[in-house]
Amino acid sequence: MKAKAEWIEIARLALDKAYVPYSHFPVGACLVTEDGATYQGINIENASFGLTNCAERTAFFKAVSEGNRKFQHLVVAGHTPAPISPCGACRQVMAEFCSPEMPVTLVGDEGVMKETTVGELLPYSFTDKDL
Ligand code: THU
C-alpha cells in the first residue's frame, strides 16, 4: 500500500475507537511524523461537553507528548459522506507544529477526499513569530 493510503486507513480505523456518547459523531485522525511514525487520534467527549477533545488534537497531543515536533502529513476521517472540516481550535494547534505547506487530507465515507494544507486551513495565523 502507498504511504498515504495507509495513513487514510489508520485514520479510518480510529473511527471505531472514538468516544462519542453525546454527539455520536466519530472522527479519526492519523498524524504522520517527519520520520514516518503514525499517531492515531479520536474525539473524546465528556458529560461536561466543553471538555471534548477533537481527534486532531488528540493525535497532536499524543505525538508531541512522546517527543515529536516535526510532522509531514495529517489525515482526518469522518463517517460522513463528505469530508469533515477541522474546527478552529485544531487548526490553531496545527499552525503551532506544522509549516503552512504541510498537506492535510480530509476524507469522508464515500471516497470523497479533499486535499488541503495547514496554511489554507488557517491563513494569517497567530504563531510564535507574533510574540
Ligand atoms: N470533532 C472532531 O473531533 N474534529 C473535527 O474536526 C470537528 C469536530 C468532534 C468534536 C465532537 O466530539 C464531535 O466531532 C461533534 O462536534
Side-chain angles (χ1 to χ4, degrees), residues 7 33 42 62 69 79 102 107:
W7 302 336
T33 68
I42 54 165
K62 281 173 70 177
R69 291 191 182 170
H79 257 325
M102 193 188 91
V107 292

Side-chain angles (χ1 to χ4, degrees), residues 1 11 15 17 33 36 45 53 65 70 82 93 101 106 123-124:
M1 230 188 319
L15 286 166
K17 301 177 196 161
T33 68
E45 300 185 343
N53 207 60
S65 66
K70 291 189 171 169
V93 171
E101 294 77 32
L106 309 172
Y124 195 53

Side-chain angles (χ1 to χ4, degrees), residues 23-120:
S23 73
H24 305 287
F25 189 86
V27 182
C30 175
L31 179 62
V32 188
T33 68
E34 194 177 52
D35 57 8
T38 54
Y39 285 84
Q40 247 181 351
I42 54 165
N43 46 341
I44 303 172
E45 300 185 343
N46 193 284
S48 176
F49 300 154
L51 297 182
T52 292
N53 207 60
C54 292
E56 298 90 322
R57 277 176 292 144
T58 300
F60 272 98
F61 297 157
K62 281 173 70 177
V64 173
S65 66
E66 304 247 324
N68 301 284
R69 291 191 182 170
K70 291 189 171 169
F71 303 103
Q72 58 167 300
H73 205 109
L74 174 68
V75 179
V76 183
H79 257 325
T80 44
I84 292 174
S85 180
C87 83
C90 291
R91 294 177 193 214
Q92 182 67 28
V93 171
M94 291 176 208
E96 181 71 26
F97 292 105
C98 309
S99 73
E101 294 77 32
M102 193 188 91
V104 180
T105 302
L106 309 172
V107 292
D109 260 344
E110 292 169 11
V112 184
M113 220 178 281
K114 176 156 179 70
E115 299 290 357
T116 183
T117 63
V118 168
E120 258 175 29

